[in-house]
């Protein structure tokens, strides 16, 4: 099958880096850094679309739905990275945010030949996790034409699942198929076609916003503190203590004792200390407020 990629911006040649192989190391890095600075500005232009996506994802979470990332190569790995960080950071169930990659687990570490071109793989992968109409499926493909991703988006739409497409080429197939198209135009890569660079950076920034924004909107953050952090190692135990201290202005010993009584739940410890109530009462009030600390503290607002 003939595949034409000549018209894709992500495959075009960057005039700013045409002589990069003849530059000094420092000048070479300056070119890369200058191009990287364009990424945040490209993402800034699609913030309205990202905001719509965040609201849909938060709504899905509130209905018991999940966020599913679907991608191949770098795009798939970025989805898996973002998904894997949610449980320790926000205390989410391991299956609330899921990353799927063309070729499965082996493709996380090394390329799996032709996996991204197999449309059936996507449907199988989505069936394996029982994708349903409560979920949100985010297809990630710098080109916007990856068959694995397009097939998954098409299947999701057939079963009534909300779809979001992240690509870096305007008017791509992925953008057309998706309910919400997020399309940061980062321009040609420093190394022609190496979309793991600027395109990958843009994707990472957007994925950060999708999960962080949705977690904020579902009560996982108080002020700017990640109050549902799970203490799975010594560093995170200390982070929990610091979060309780910062949220309540208490002494370190008070934070430690409150966390012990709260069975290591930051939110419970914070509400206990701020309202001077028991762990049981704090937990009940949080449940009544859907996990939002500010609603516990200001129930009439």
């Amino acid at each position: 099958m003939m595949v034409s990629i000549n018209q894709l911006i992500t495959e075009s040649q960057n005039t700013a880096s045409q002589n990069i192989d003849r530059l000094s190391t420092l000048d070479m890095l300056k070119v890369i850094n200058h191009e990287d600075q364009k990424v945040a500005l490209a993402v800034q232009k699609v913030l309205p679309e990202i905001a719509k996506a965040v609201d849909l994802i938060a709504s899905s979470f509130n209905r018991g739905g999940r966020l599913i990332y679907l991608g191949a190569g770098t795009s798939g790995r970025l989805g898996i990275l973002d998904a894997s960080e949610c449980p320790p950071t926000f205390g989410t169930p391991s299956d609330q945010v899921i990353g799927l990659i063309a070729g499965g687990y082996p493709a996380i570490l090394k390329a799996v030949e032709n996996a991204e071109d197999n449309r059936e793989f996507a449907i199988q992968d989505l069936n394996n996790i029982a994708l349903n109409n409560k979920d949100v499926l985010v297809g990630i493909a710098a080109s916007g034409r990856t068959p694995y991703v397009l097939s998954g988006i098409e299947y999701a739409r057939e079963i009534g699942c909300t779809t979001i497409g992240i690509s870096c080429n305007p008017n791509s197939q992925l953008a057309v198929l998706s309910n919400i198209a997020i399309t940061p135009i980062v321009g040609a890569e420093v190394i022609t076609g190496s979309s793991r660079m600027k395109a990958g950076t843009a994707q990472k920034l957007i994925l950060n916003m999708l999960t962080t924004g949705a977690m904020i909107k579902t009560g996982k953050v108080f002020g700017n503190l990640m109050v549902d952090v799970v203490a799975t190692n010594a560093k995170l135990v200390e982070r929990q203590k610091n979060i309780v201290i910062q949220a309540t202005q208490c002494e370190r010993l008070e934070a430690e004792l409150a966390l012990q009584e709260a069975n290591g739940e930051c939110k419970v410890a914070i509400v206990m200390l701020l309202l001077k109530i028991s762990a049981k009462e704090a937990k009940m009030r949080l449940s009544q407020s859907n996990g939002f600390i500010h609603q516990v503290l200001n129930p009439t607002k």
Side-chain angles (χ1 to χ4, degrees):
M1 180 179 67
M2 180 73 72
V3 177
S4 176
I5 60 175
N6 295 333
Q7 303 305 313
L8 300 179
I9 291 176
T10 50
E11 296 291 333
S12 60
Q13 190 172 18
N14 193 326
T15 56
S17 60
Q18 282 181 318
N19 298 317
I20 198 168
D21 59 333
R22 285 173 272 170
L23 298 179
S24 69
T25 302
L26 180 58
D27 286 339
M28 171 187 72
L29 298 179
K30 285 180 179 178
V31 170
I32 295 173
N33 179 250
H34 179 74
E35 290 297 308
D36 283 345
Q37 290 176 41
K38 299 176 182 179
V39 176
L41 296 176
V43 172
Q44 182 183 48
K45 292 179 180 178
V46 296
L47 286 177
E49 290 78 16
I50 298 172
K52 291 177 184 177
V54 167
D55 286 339
L56 284 173
I57 294 165
S59 177
S60 172
F61 287 166
N62 288 331
R63 298 193 311 272
R66 302 166 297 174
L67 169 60
I68 314 298
Y69 290 133
L70 190 73
T74 297
S75 298
R77 294 181 192 103
L78 288 170
I80 290 170
L81 172 63
D82 195 65
S84 68
E85 292 290 349
C86 288
T89 304
F90 298 110
T92 60
S94 60
D95 62 349
Q96 187 176 47
V97 184
I98 298 172
L100 299 175
I101 186 170
Y105 184 81
I108 298 173
L109 301 177
K110 59 186 294 188
V112 175
E113 188 175 359
N114 297 325
E116 72 172 57
D117 295 327
N118 193 314
R119 295 177 59 87
E120 292 302 316
F121 281 177
I123 298 172
Q124 291 171 16
D125 289 345
L126 293 173
N127 278 328
N128 286 342
I129 62 165
L131 184 77
N132 63 77
N133 59 12
K134 290 182 181 180
D135 300 328
V136 174
L137 180 66
V138 178
I140 315 168
S143 67
R145 56 159 299 280
T146 306
Y148 174 84
V149 175
L150 297 179
S151 176
I153 293 291
E154 290 168 353
Y155 173 73
R157 286 176 64 97
E158 287 175 6
I159 66 171
C161 179
T162 299
T163 58
I164 298 165
I166 302 175
S167 58
C168 295
N169 284 293
N171 305 313
S172 69
Q173 292 171 271
L174 179 57
V176 171
L177 285 172
S178 302
N179 296 126
I180 296 177
I182 302 174
T183 313
I185 306 302
V186 297
E189 296 287 1
V190 170
I191 305 302
T192 304
S194 182
S195 55
R196 70 182 183 86
M197 299 183 74
K198 287 159 61 179
T201 300
Q203 291 169 345
K204 179 67 168 67
L205 291 175
I206 293 166
L207 301 189
N208 284 350
M209 290 184 185
L210 293 183
T211 45
T212 302
M215 296 303 172
I216 291 170
K217 294 185 74 70
T218 52
K220 299 289 186 180
V221 175
F222 176 53
N224 64 353
L225 301 173
M226 51 186 201
V227 289
D228 267 329
V229 61
V230 178
T232 55
N233 57 44
K235 179 188 72 175
L236 295 180
V237 169
E238 287 303 305
R239 182 173 291 168
Q240 276 196 332
K241 294 174 187 176
N242 288 335
I243 286 172
V244 173
I245 291 168
Q246 290 167 326
T248 66
Q249 301 301 303
C250 71
E251 297 298 323
R252 181 180 176 84
L253 180 58
E254 290 180 280
E256 290 175 345
L257 292 174
L259 280 165
Q260 286 176 17
E261 190 176 341
N263 292 320
E265 295 183 47
C266 272
K267 276 184 181 177
V268 175
I270 290 168
V271 172
M272 285 171 56
L273 290 169
L274 289 177
L275 297 182
K276 296 179 170 46
I277 58 179
S278 68
K280 182 178 179 180
E281 178 70 14
K283 200 161 190 173
M284 182 188 73
R285 293 196 193 186
L286 280 165
S287 177
Q288 292 171 342
S289 300
N290 297 315
F292 286 89
I293 293 178
H294 67 81
Q295 288 184 14
V296 175
L297 302 179
N298 302 284
T300 60
K301 292 186 179 180

